[in-house]
Amino acid sequence: MHIFKRVYISPALSKEKKKLLWRLKHHVFMPSVYVVTLAAQQDLLEIYHSSLLKQKFYRENPPFIVGIAESHSAAVAMIQEILMDVLRETGGLDIQRYCRAS
């Protein structure tokens, strides 16, 4: 599993960052955790429920995790925050380059 060096974490989950990352890497079921990942082929972000990462496909093709949120709506808000940061730092919306270079 690939995790962004400066992974975005919702404030409600920030106290448990180390534990949360361990649970994601070890595919522990977390009912109310969503991840924001880089899309495989386009310069987009995707939202997945953390339980999807337990599937064989994601174990063999681990996603690049950019953010971790406590709900789907928090993940949507996180995407807005990520896009604003990318725009501010790069002057464009090249999310792949921003996340892989950092």
XYZ file of all heavy atoms in Angstrom:
833
model
N 0.850 -1.172 0.000
C 0.000 0.000 0.000
C 0.894 1.233 0.000
O 1.855 1.307 0.745
C -0.895 -0.021 1.233
C -1.890 1.073 1.262
S -3.112 0.895 2.551
C -3.754 -0.722 2.232
N 0.570 2.176 -0.860
C 1.346 3.406 -0.982
C 0.562 4.529 -0.312
O -0.614 4.718 -0.607
C 1.587 3.742 -2.447
C 2.129 2.590 -3.230
N 3.416 2.140 -3.082
C 1.559 1.787 -4.145
C 3.611 1.115 -3.886
N 2.488 0.871 -4.542
N 1.239 5.258 0.560
C 0.578 6.341 1.284
C 1.368 7.630 1.084
O 2.596 7.647 1.220
C 0.441 6.005 2.779
C -0.418 4.747 2.938
C -0.162 7.169 3.545
C -0.559 4.240 4.331
N 0.650 8.684 0.738
C 1.222 10.013 0.535
C 1.987 10.424 1.791
O 1.517 10.242 2.910
C 0.069 10.981 0.236
C 0.453 12.388 -0.075
C 1.549 12.678 -0.865
C -0.318 13.430 0.391
C 1.875 13.990 -1.171
C -0.012 14.744 0.092
C 1.094 15.017 -0.696
N 3.196 10.965 1.580
C 4.029 11.371 2.719
C 3.303 12.338 3.654
O 3.399 12.237 4.860
C 5.296 12.053 2.204
C 6.570 11.418 2.681
C 7.780 12.276 2.427
C 8.203 12.288 0.991
N 9.517 12.933 0.821
N 2.578 13.259 3.052
C 1.816 14.244 3.838
C 0.331 13.914 3.766
O -0.482 14.755 3.417
C 2.078 15.648 3.306
C 3.540 16.054 3.379
C 3.769 17.424 2.847
N 3.235 17.558 1.486
C 3.393 18.621 0.735
N 4.054 19.654 1.175
N 2.880 18.674 -0.482
N -0.005 12.689 4.102
C -1.382 12.203 3.992
C -2.338 13.135 4.742
O -2.043 13.592 5.844
C -1.503 10.743 4.492
C -1.196 10.622 5.963
C -2.860 10.160 4.168
N -3.446 13.433 4.105
C -4.491 14.260 4.715
C -5.334 13.355 5.603
O -5.760 12.288 5.182
C -5.392 14.882 3.644
C -4.724 15.958 2.829
C -3.833 15.640 1.813
C -4.983 17.302 3.072
C -3.223 16.629 1.056
C -4.380 18.298 2.318
C -3.498 17.944 1.317
O -2.891 18.927 0.568
N -5.574 13.796 6.824
C -6.402 13.023 7.751
C -7.438 13.954 8.371
O -7.100 15.052 8.814
C -5.556 12.354 8.855
C -4.568 11.373 8.208
C -6.432 11.652 9.876
C -3.725 10.596 9.163
N -8.686 13.510 8.383
C -9.762 14.302 8.983
C -9.432 14.604 10.444
O -8.858 13.765 11.144
C -11.081 13.535 8.940
O -11.523 13.402 7.631
N -9.831 15.791 10.917
C -9.566 16.149 12.314
C -10.107 15.127 13.321
O -9.479 14.873 14.347
C -10.278 17.493 12.478
C -10.349 18.051 11.096
C -10.474 16.872 10.187
N -11.229 14.512 13.009
C -11.812 13.526 13.931
C -10.938 12.280 14.070
O -11.039 11.556 15.057
C -13.206 13.126 13.450
N -10.070 12.031 13.097
C -9.216 10.840 13.119
C -7.752 11.153 13.397
O -6.947 10.236 13.548
C -9.319 10.106 11.775
C -10.687 9.626 11.347
C -10.622 9.062 9.939
C -11.207 8.581 12.316
N -7.398 12.415 13.466
C -5.986 12.792 13.538
C -5.267 12.292 14.790
O -4.066 12.057 14.757
C -5.838 14.307 13.415
O -6.473 14.939 14.494
N -5.972 12.106 15.887
C -5.330 11.623 17.111
C -4.878 10.175 16.983
O -3.971 9.735 17.662
C -6.274 11.760 18.301
C -6.511 13.188 18.715
C -7.394 13.257 19.930
C -7.654 14.712 20.301
N -8.521 14.818 21.470
N -5.513 9.436 16.083
C -5.229 8.014 15.915
C -4.438 7.737 14.642
O -4.512 6.629 14.101
C -6.541 7.230 15.869
C -7.420 7.403 17.063
C -8.758 6.703 16.879
O -9.007 6.147 15.799
O -9.550 6.729 17.813
N -3.638 8.681 14.174
C -2.981 8.558 12.877
C -2.148 7.277 12.758
O -2.304 6.522 11.802
C -2.098 9.767 12.613
C -1.376 9.703 11.286
C -0.508 10.912 11.055
C 0.235 10.789 9.739
N 1.080 11.942 9.484
N -1.269 7.026 13.697
C -0.396 5.851 13.629
C -1.203 4.546 13.605
O -0.953 3.652 12.802
C 0.536 5.853 14.838
C 1.932 5.524 14.540
C 2.772 5.646 15.784
C 4.203 5.842 15.385
N 5.083 5.979 16.507
N -2.179 4.471 14.497
C -3.032 3.288 14.591
C -3.853 3.099 13.308
O -4.002 1.990 12.799
C -3.955 3.448 15.794
C -4.763 2.255 16.160
C -5.586 2.598 17.405
C -6.225 1.395 18.003
N -6.999 1.739 19.209
N -4.343 4.187 12.783
C -5.149 4.176 11.562
C -4.339 3.667 10.373
O -4.799 2.827 9.603
C -5.657 5.592 11.305
C -6.734 5.823 10.297
C -7.999 5.081 10.684
C -7.015 7.306 10.197
N -3.126 4.186 10.214
C -2.264 3.752 9.121
C -1.909 2.274 9.255
O -1.891 1.538 8.267
C -0.998 4.608 9.063
C -1.226 6.074 8.696
C 0.075 6.857 8.796
C -1.825 6.210 7.313
N -1.651 1.824 10.472
C -1.353 0.404 10.704
C -2.543 -0.456 10.301
O -2.389 -1.471 9.634
C -0.993 0.169 12.171
C -0.580 -1.236 12.442
C 0.683 -1.743 12.375
C -1.423 -2.333 12.811
N 0.670 -3.077 12.674
C -0.616 -3.474 12.951
C -2.798 -2.461 13.033
C -1.124 -4.714 13.295
C -3.294 -3.702 13.372
C -2.464 -4.818 13.506
N -3.731 -0.030 10.705
C -4.941 -0.799 10.382
C -5.185 -0.861 8.873
O -5.585 -1.895 8.349
C -6.158 -0.195 11.077
C -6.174 -0.468 12.539
C -7.339 0.230 13.199
N -7.438 -0.215 14.576
C -8.575 -0.423 15.199
N -9.719 -0.204 14.585
N -8.574 -0.823 16.437
N -4.935 0.231 8.175
C -5.096 0.220 6.722
C -4.108 -0.740 6.070
O -4.464 -1.525 5.203
C -4.898 1.620 6.142
C -6.081 2.562 6.192
C -5.675 3.940 5.714
C -7.228 2.038 5.355
N -2.857 -0.676 6.497
C -1.823 -1.545 5.918
C -2.085 -3.022 6.185
O -1.703 -3.872 5.397
C -0.455 -1.159 6.464
C 0.050 0.148 5.912
C 1.391 0.502 6.499
C 1.843 1.857 5.989
N 3.131 2.252 6.551
N -2.736 -3.310 7.306
C -3.013 -4.700 7.676
C -4.454 -5.122 7.377
O -4.904 -6.157 7.840
C -2.672 -4.918 9.150
C -1.202 -4.850 9.393
N -0.556 -3.660 9.663
C -0.247 -5.805 9.362
C 0.725 -3.898 9.817
N 0.945 -5.183 9.630
N -5.159 -4.309 6.619
C -6.508 -4.617 6.132
C -7.496 -4.949 7.252
O -8.301 -5.859 7.128
C -6.459 -5.755 5.116
C -5.466 -5.519 4.034
N -5.683 -4.609 3.023
C -4.230 -6.035 3.812
C -4.634 -4.591 2.227
N -3.739 -5.440 2.677
N -7.435 -4.185 8.318
C -8.377 -4.346 9.427
C -9.676 -3.622 9.064
O -9.649 -2.503 8.550
C -7.788 -3.770 10.738
C -8.790 -3.831 11.867
C -6.506 -4.507 11.104
N -10.799 -4.245 9.328
C -12.096 -3.643 9.012
C -12.345 -2.424 9.894
O -12.235 -2.494 11.121
C -13.220 -4.662 9.211
C -14.581 -4.082 8.946
C -14.975 -3.745 7.666
C -15.455 -3.861 9.992
C -16.227 -3.204 7.415
C -16.708 -3.319 9.761
C -17.089 -2.992 8.472
N -12.657 -1.304 9.252
C -13.000 -0.062 9.949
C -14.285 0.464 9.326
O -14.261 0.980 8.204
C -11.864 0.951 9.823
C -10.597 0.518 10.518
S -9.259 1.692 10.328
C -8.775 1.382 8.631
N -15.414 0.324 10.000
C -16.718 0.605 9.398
C -16.950 2.051 8.957
O -17.723 2.286 8.040
C -17.710 0.196 10.473
C -16.946 0.185 11.732
C -15.526 -0.115 11.378
N -16.298 2.997 9.564
C -16.608 4.383 9.199
C -15.384 5.135 8.682
O -15.221 6.322 8.940
C -17.200 5.108 10.399
O -16.255 5.137 11.442
N -14.533 4.461 7.934
C -13.346 5.112 7.395
C -13.353 5.023 5.865
O -13.580 3.962 5.299
C -12.056 4.464 7.963
C -10.822 5.029 7.299
C -11.985 4.664 9.474
N -13.112 6.170 5.245
C -13.033 6.271 3.792
C -11.638 6.751 3.415
O -11.025 7.503 4.167
C -14.073 7.262 3.261
C -15.480 6.727 3.332
C -16.195 6.734 4.525
C -16.095 6.196 2.207
C -17.477 6.226 4.600
C -17.382 5.691 2.266
C -18.060 5.707 3.466
O -19.332 5.197 3.538
N -11.164 6.313 2.263
C -9.859 6.760 1.796
C -10.021 7.516 0.477
O -10.889 7.211 -0.335
C -8.867 5.584 1.621
C -8.529 4.970 2.959
C -9.387 4.538 0.674
N -9.170 8.504 0.293
C -9.100 9.264 -0.950
C -7.823 8.798 -1.637
O -6.751 8.821 -1.039
C -9.050 10.781 -0.682
C -8.885 11.552 -1.977
C -10.286 11.239 0.072
N -7.950 8.334 -2.880
C -6.803 7.803 -3.599
C -6.628 8.493 -4.950
O -7.562 9.111 -5.464
C -6.956 6.286 -3.859
O -8.027 6.080 -4.771
C -7.221 5.526 -2.574
N -5.424 8.358 -5.495
C -5.199 8.810 -6.859
C -5.856 7.818 -7.802
O -5.771 6.607 -7.576
C -3.698 8.855 -7.162
C -2.879 9.926 -6.469
C -1.411 9.764 -6.846
C -3.361 11.312 -6.836
N -6.489 8.319 -8.827
C -7.074 7.437 -9.834
C -5.940 6.771 -10.612
O -4.873 7.349 -10.802
C -7.967 8.236 -10.772
N -6.168 5.551 -11.045
C -5.122 4.774 -11.699
C -4.646 5.374 -13.021
O -3.455 5.389 -13.293
C -5.605 3.352 -11.916
N -5.559 5.870 -13.850
C -5.151 6.279 -15.184
C -5.378 7.749 -15.500
O -4.918 8.227 -16.513
C -5.880 5.429 -16.218
C -5.520 3.970 -16.089
C -6.309 3.117 -17.058
O -7.181 3.598 -17.754
N -6.007 1.833 -17.087
N -6.095 8.461 -14.669
C -6.370 9.863 -14.956
C -5.899 10.716 -13.801
O -5.603 10.224 -12.727
C -7.866 10.072 -15.178
C -8.397 9.315 -16.368
C -9.901 9.488 -16.492
O -10.570 9.896 -15.560
N -10.434 9.166 -17.651
N -5.839 12.014 -14.035
C -5.422 12.941 -12.994
C -6.628 13.337 -12.151
O -7.074 14.467 -12.166
C -4.770 14.172 -13.632
C -3.907 14.927 -12.641
O -3.442 14.303 -11.673
O -3.715 16.136 -12.830
N -7.172 12.335 -11.453
C -8.355 12.525 -10.622
C -8.130 11.896 -9.255
O -7.169 11.168 -9.036
C -9.566 11.841 -11.280
C -9.990 12.329 -12.648
C -11.038 11.388 -13.226
C -10.538 13.729 -12.565
N -9.059 12.147 -8.359
C -9.065 11.503 -7.045
C -10.325 10.661 -6.929
O -11.361 11.012 -7.485
C -9.026 12.556 -5.929
C -7.759 13.408 -5.886
C -7.946 14.565 -4.916
C -6.565 12.574 -5.471
N -10.227 9.557 -6.206
C -11.368 8.668 -6.002
C -11.579 8.457 -4.514
O -10.637 8.520 -3.723
C -11.111 7.316 -6.669
C -10.927 7.417 -8.167
C -10.579 6.091 -8.805
O -9.911 5.262 -8.152
O -10.964 5.891 -9.961
N -12.826 8.158 -4.136
C -13.172 7.872 -2.744
C -13.602 6.416 -2.652
O -14.439 5.959 -3.432
C -14.330 8.778 -2.264
C -13.933 10.249 -2.350
C -14.732 8.406 -0.838
C -15.078 11.202 -2.087
N -13.008 5.699 -1.694
C -13.366 4.302 -1.448
C -13.635 4.093 0.035
O -12.978 4.715 0.878
C -12.224 3.347 -1.818
C -11.866 3.308 -3.270
C -10.636 3.763 -3.707
C -12.751 2.790 -4.214
C -10.282 3.711 -5.041
C -12.409 2.735 -5.550
C -11.175 3.196 -5.956
O -10.841 3.146 -7.277
N -14.545 3.203 0.332
C -14.700 2.767 1.718
C -13.487 1.891 2.023
O -13.038 1.124 1.177
C -15.999 1.974 1.899
C -16.310 1.711 3.330
N -15.790 0.624 3.991
C -17.035 2.406 4.234
C -16.206 0.647 5.243
N -16.968 1.733 5.411
N -12.959 1.999 3.214
C -11.728 1.272 3.551
C -11.866 -0.242 3.423
O -10.879 -0.943 3.184
C -11.272 1.639 4.963
O -12.242 1.253 5.911
N -13.057 -0.769 3.545
C -13.236 -2.217 3.453
C -12.944 -2.747 2.042
O -12.619 -3.918 1.876
C -14.649 -2.620 3.883
O -15.601 -2.069 3.012
N -13.040 -1.889 1.026
C -12.722 -2.322 -0.337
C -11.253 -2.708 -0.477
O -10.900 -3.540 -1.311
C -13.056 -1.225 -1.347
C -14.517 -1.027 -1.652
C -14.708 0.150 -2.593
C -15.108 -2.269 -2.274
N -10.402 -2.124 0.350
C -8.973 -2.409 0.267
C -8.639 -3.835 0.697
O -7.532 -4.302 0.479
C -8.183 -1.407 1.106
C -8.368 0.061 0.713
C -7.558 0.951 1.633
C -8.011 0.299 -0.733
N -9.602 -4.527 1.293
C -9.405 -5.917 1.697
C -9.529 -6.881 0.521
O -9.095 -8.023 0.602
C -10.410 -6.311 2.775
C -10.232 -5.539 4.073
C -11.313 -5.857 5.045
C -11.044 -7.225 5.624
N -11.853 -7.547 6.776
N -10.081 -6.430 -0.585
C -10.275 -7.291 -1.744
C -8.931 -7.651 -2.384
O -7.968 -6.886 -2.335
C -11.157 -6.596 -2.779
C -12.562 -6.387 -2.314
C -13.405 -5.681 -3.361
O -12.957 -5.391 -4.458
N -14.649 -5.409 -2.996
N -8.900 -8.812 -2.983
C -7.681 -9.338 -3.589
C -7.091 -8.361 -4.616
O -5.878 -8.161 -4.665
C -7.969 -10.688 -4.240
C -6.764 -11.347 -4.823
C -7.107 -12.689 -5.433
C -5.874 -13.320 -6.060
N -6.168 -14.589 -6.699
N -7.946 -7.754 -5.430
C -7.470 -6.822 -6.455
C -6.643 -5.705 -5.836
O -5.578 -5.347 -6.343
C -8.649 -6.229 -7.236
C -8.216 -5.172 -8.213
C -7.708 -5.536 -9.443
C -8.304 -3.824 -7.888
C -7.285 -4.560 -10.349
C -7.891 -2.857 -8.777
C -7.377 -3.218 -10.013
N -7.116 -5.116 -4.734
C -6.416 -3.996 -4.115
C -5.183 -4.440 -3.349
O -4.272 -3.651 -3.120
C -7.363 -3.185 -3.226
C -8.404 -2.477 -4.046
C -9.724 -2.902 -4.057
C -8.058 -1.403 -4.856
C -10.670 -2.268 -4.839
C -8.998 -0.765 -5.647
C -10.299 -1.206 -5.628
O -11.235 -0.575 -6.420
N -5.137 -5.698 -2.933
C -3.913 -6.221 -2.318
C -2.829 -6.393 -3.374
O -1.665 -6.147 -3.121
C -4.192 -7.543 -1.620
C -4.989 -7.367 -0.347
C -5.200 -8.691 0.331
N -6.095 -8.527 1.451
C -5.876 -9.061 2.633
N -4.828 -9.805 2.842
N -6.734 -8.870 3.609
N -3.233 -6.813 -4.572
C -2.280 -7.002 -5.665
C -1.953 -5.693 -6.389
O -0.883 -5.548 -6.957
C -2.834 -8.013 -6.665
C -2.948 -9.406 -6.097
C -3.660 -10.367 -7.020
O -4.132 -9.958 -8.106
O -3.758 -11.557 -6.646
N -2.868 -4.751 -6.389
C -2.703 -3.443 -7.033
C -3.021 -2.346 -6.018
O -4.083 -1.734 -6.087
C -3.645 -3.322 -8.233
C -3.474 -4.451 -9.209
O -2.435 -4.564 -9.839
N -4.469 -5.313 -9.320
N -2.122 -2.131 -5.076
C -2.439 -1.183 -4.001
C -2.601 0.248 -4.521
O -1.820 0.702 -5.357
C -1.243 -1.291 -3.066
C -0.148 -1.856 -3.875
C -0.781 -2.671 -4.959
N -3.620 0.943 -4.051
C -3.832 2.328 -4.473
C -2.863 3.262 -3.759
O -2.254 2.904 -2.749
C -5.266 2.607 -4.025
C -5.444 1.733 -2.847
C -4.654 0.488 -3.128
N -2.710 4.448 -4.296
C -1.889 5.489 -3.674
C -2.833 6.331 -2.824
O -3.618 7.117 -3.341
C -1.202 6.335 -4.746
C -0.172 7.276 -4.202
C 1.149 6.873 -4.081
C -0.528 8.550 -3.801
C 2.104 7.745 -3.573
C 0.416 9.425 -3.292
C 1.744 9.022 -3.177
N -2.767 6.172 -1.518
C -3.690 6.856 -0.602
C -3.195 8.269 -0.314
O -2.061 8.464 0.118
C -3.863 6.053 0.695
C -4.502 4.701 0.373
C -4.706 6.838 1.700
C -4.609 3.770 1.552
N -4.075 9.228 -0.554
C -3.759 10.635 -0.354
C -4.427 11.171 0.906
O -3.904 12.063 1.562
C -4.214 11.457 -1.585
C -3.950 12.929 -1.394
C -3.535 10.945 -2.835
N -5.598 10.609 1.272
C -6.330 11.109 2.430
C -7.163 10.032 3.092
O -7.512 9.030 2.465
N -7.452 10.275 4.371
C -8.273 9.357 5.162
C -9.319 10.191 5.890
O -8.982 11.151 6.581
C -7.413 8.574 6.179
C -6.257 7.863 5.463
C -8.267 7.583 6.954
C -5.198 7.310 6.391
N -10.591 9.805 5.727
C -11.691 10.583 6.304
C -12.646 9.684 7.080
O -12.693 8.481 6.845
C -12.449 11.308 5.204
N -13.436 10.300 7.970
C -14.357 9.527 8.810
C -15.724 9.315 8.171
O -16.530 8.559 8.694
C -14.519 10.176 10.196
C -15.439 11.382 10.236
C -14.768 12.691 9.882
O -13.588 12.699 9.514
O -15.443 13.724 9.993
N -15.982 9.971 7.045
C -17.259 9.781 6.351
C -17.092 10.156 4.879
O -16.084 10.770 4.493
C -18.349 10.656 6.976
O -18.060 12.024 6.755
N -18.079 9.792 4.096
C -18.020 10.125 2.670
C -18.048 11.635 2.474
O -17.305 12.181 1.652
C -19.176 9.458 1.925
C -19.050 9.570 0.443
N -19.523 10.649 -0.255
C -18.481 8.747 -0.465
C -19.266 10.484 -1.532
N -18.634 9.330 -1.699
N -18.887 12.325 3.208
C -18.968 13.786 3.059
C -17.669 14.460 3.501
O -17.247 15.454 2.900
C -20.162 14.349 3.822
O -20.068 14.041 5.188
N -17.008 13.908 4.519
C -15.715 14.446 4.939
C -14.661 14.199 3.862
O -13.768 15.031 3.648
C -15.281 13.820 6.255
N -14.775 13.079 3.159
C -13.846 12.779 2.065
C -14.039 13.754 0.903
O -13.068 14.193 0.278
C -14.028 11.339 1.601
N -15.284 14.111 0.614
C -15.567 15.087 -0.443
C -14.965 16.443 -0.070
O -14.323 17.102 -0.894
C -17.086 15.206 -0.698
C -17.397 16.366 -1.630
C -17.629 13.899 -1.264
N -15.149 16.857 1.179
C -14.564 18.120 1.649
C -13.040 18.057 1.596
O -12.378 19.052 1.262
C -15.046 18.423 3.065
N -12.482 16.890 1.881
C -11.035 16.714 1.846
C -10.510 16.862 0.416
O -9.455 17.452 0.192
C -10.654 15.340 2.402
C -9.177 15.098 2.485
S -8.824 13.490 3.201
C -9.242 13.815 4.919
N -11.251 16.354 -0.550
C -10.846 16.503 -1.950
C -10.793 17.978 -2.331
O -9.869 18.413 -3.018
C -11.779 15.705 -2.885
C -11.484 14.212 -2.742
C -11.631 16.159 -4.333
C -12.381 13.309 -3.553
N -11.749 18.745 -1.875
C -11.731 20.180 -2.139
C -10.478 20.816 -1.544
O -9.818 21.641 -2.181
C -12.983 20.849 -1.568
C -14.248 20.465 -2.278
C -15.492 21.007 -1.594
O -15.493 21.287 -0.397
N -16.554 21.140 -2.369
N -10.132 20.417 -0.337
C -8.937 20.943 0.331
C -7.669 20.542 -0.436
O -6.772 21.367 -0.640
C -8.872 20.400 1.759
C -7.671 20.864 2.542
C -7.608 20.231 3.924
O -8.582 19.593 4.356
O -6.543 20.375 4.551
N -7.608 19.297 -0.875
C -6.445 18.818 -1.627
C -6.297 19.598 -2.925
O -5.192 20.049 -3.278
C -6.564 17.301 -1.901
C -6.453 16.516 -0.590
C -5.494 16.845 -2.891
C -6.842 15.048 -0.713
N -7.403 19.771 -3.644
C -7.349 20.511 -4.903
C -6.898 21.956 -4.706
O -6.124 22.486 -5.504
C -8.701 20.465 -5.608
C -9.098 19.109 -6.170
C -10.511 19.159 -6.737
C -8.112 18.641 -7.221
N -7.350 22.584 -3.644
C -6.915 23.957 -3.349
C -5.420 23.993 -3.044
O -4.711 24.905 -3.485
C -7.725 24.544 -2.180
C -9.185 24.792 -2.513
S -9.442 25.850 -3.952
C -8.826 27.389 -3.347
N -4.922 23.011 -2.296
C -3.489 22.946 -1.991
C -2.662 22.719 -3.259
O -1.610 23.328 -3.438
C -3.200 21.843 -0.969
C -3.695 22.195 0.430
O -4.062 23.377 0.656
O -3.710 21.296 1.285
N -3.133 21.823 -4.126
C -2.428 21.553 -5.384
C -2.391 22.822 -6.233
O -1.342 23.188 -6.772
C -3.101 20.396 -6.161
C -2.525 20.270 -7.561
C -2.941 19.091 -5.406
N -3.509 23.498 -6.339
C -3.583 24.732 -7.116
C -2.650 25.799 -6.549
O -1.919 26.458 -7.288
C -5.031 25.241 -7.148
C -5.307 26.448 -8.018
C -4.961 26.162 -9.476
C -6.766 26.854 -7.905
N -2.641 25.939 -5.235
C -1.800 26.943 -4.579
C -0.306 26.621 -4.769
O 0.498 27.494 -5.032
C -2.157 27.020 -3.096
C -1.463 28.095 -2.329
C -1.884 28.273 -0.863
N -2.371 27.089 -0.178
C -3.667 26.776 0.005
N -4.609 27.572 -0.467
N -4.020 25.699 0.666
N 0.064 25.358 -4.653
C 1.479 24.962 -4.709
C 2.017 24.897 -6.134
O 3.182 25.194 -6.358
C 1.666 23.609 -4.041
C 1.271 23.597 -2.588
C 2.452 23.467 -1.652
O 3.539 23.081 -2.115
O 2.257 23.747 -0.476
N 1.193 24.453 -7.091
C 1.702 24.218 -8.447
C 1.196 25.219 -9.474
O 1.747 25.294 -10.562
C 1.327 22.802 -8.937
O -0.089 22.713 -9.089
C 1.827 21.734 -7.989
N 0.138 25.927 -9.161
C -0.445 26.840 -10.130
C -1.331 26.128 -11.140
O -1.841 26.727 -12.069
N -1.510 24.829 -10.973
C -2.349 24.031 -11.868
C -3.021 22.931 -11.068
O -3.027 22.963 -9.842
N -3.545 21.944 -11.773
C -4.233 20.851 -11.088
C -3.624 19.492 -11.436
O -4.333 18.517 -11.635
C -5.728 20.868 -11.425
C -6.496 22.032 -10.828
C -7.938 22.030 -11.309
C -6.459 21.995 -9.311
N -2.304 19.435 -11.501
C -1.614 18.179 -11.770
C -1.442 17.421 -10.452
O -0.397 17.469 -9.809
C -0.263 18.437 -12.431
C 0.373 17.174 -12.961
O -0.194 16.084 -12.763
O 1.448 17.282 -13.581
N -2.491 16.725 -10.063
C -2.538 16.041 -8.770
C -1.503 14.933 -8.702
O -0.825 14.766 -7.685
C -3.946 15.485 -8.514
C -4.969 16.616 -8.520
C -4.009 14.727 -7.200
C -6.385 16.146 -8.656
N -1.365 14.170 -9.769
C -0.405 13.056 -9.786
C 1.011 13.562 -9.498
O 1.705 13.003 -8.651
C -0.421 12.367 -11.165
C -1.716 11.699 -11.505
C -1.806 10.279 -10.973
O -0.827 9.688 -10.570
N -3.009 9.742 -10.978
N 1.431 14.593 -10.190
C 2.789 15.123 -10.002
C 2.968 15.679 -8.591
O 3.988 15.451 -7.943
C 3.068 16.217 -11.033
C 4.509 16.698 -11.028
C 4.718 17.696 -12.118
N 3.766 18.782 -11.979
C 4.074 20.068 -11.919
N 5.302 20.442 -12.029
N 3.136 20.978 -11.778
N 1.977 16.391 -8.100
C 2.045 16.985 -6.762
C 2.201 15.898 -5.688
O 3.059 16.009 -4.816
C 0.774 17.805 -6.491
C 0.620 18.280 -5.074
C 1.352 19.374 -4.611
C -0.254 17.660 -4.195
C 1.214 19.824 -3.319
C -0.404 18.102 -2.901
C 0.327 19.183 -2.460
O 0.182 19.629 -1.158
N 1.415 14.854 -5.777
C 1.444 13.814 -4.748
C 2.657 12.904 -4.856
O 3.218 12.493 -3.848
C 0.167 12.969 -4.821
S -1.297 13.901 -4.329
N 3.071 12.588 -6.033
C 4.212 11.669 -6.195
C 5.553 12.373 -5.977
O 6.518 11.739 -5.593
C 4.156 11.004 -7.552
C 2.909 10.113 -7.668
C 3.019 9.125 -8.780
N 1.781 8.420 -9.013
C 1.425 7.299 -8.383
N 2.218 6.798 -7.473
N 0.292 6.701 -8.669
N 5.595 13.690 -6.185
C 6.838 14.431 -5.993
C 7.064 14.819 -4.540
O 8.194 15.022 -4.115
C 6.838 15.682 -6.859
N 6.009 14.902 -3.771
C 6.138 15.336 -2.376
C 6.595 14.214 -1.481
O 6.241 13.107 -1.546
C 4.801 15.867 -1.863
O 4.462 17.013 -2.584
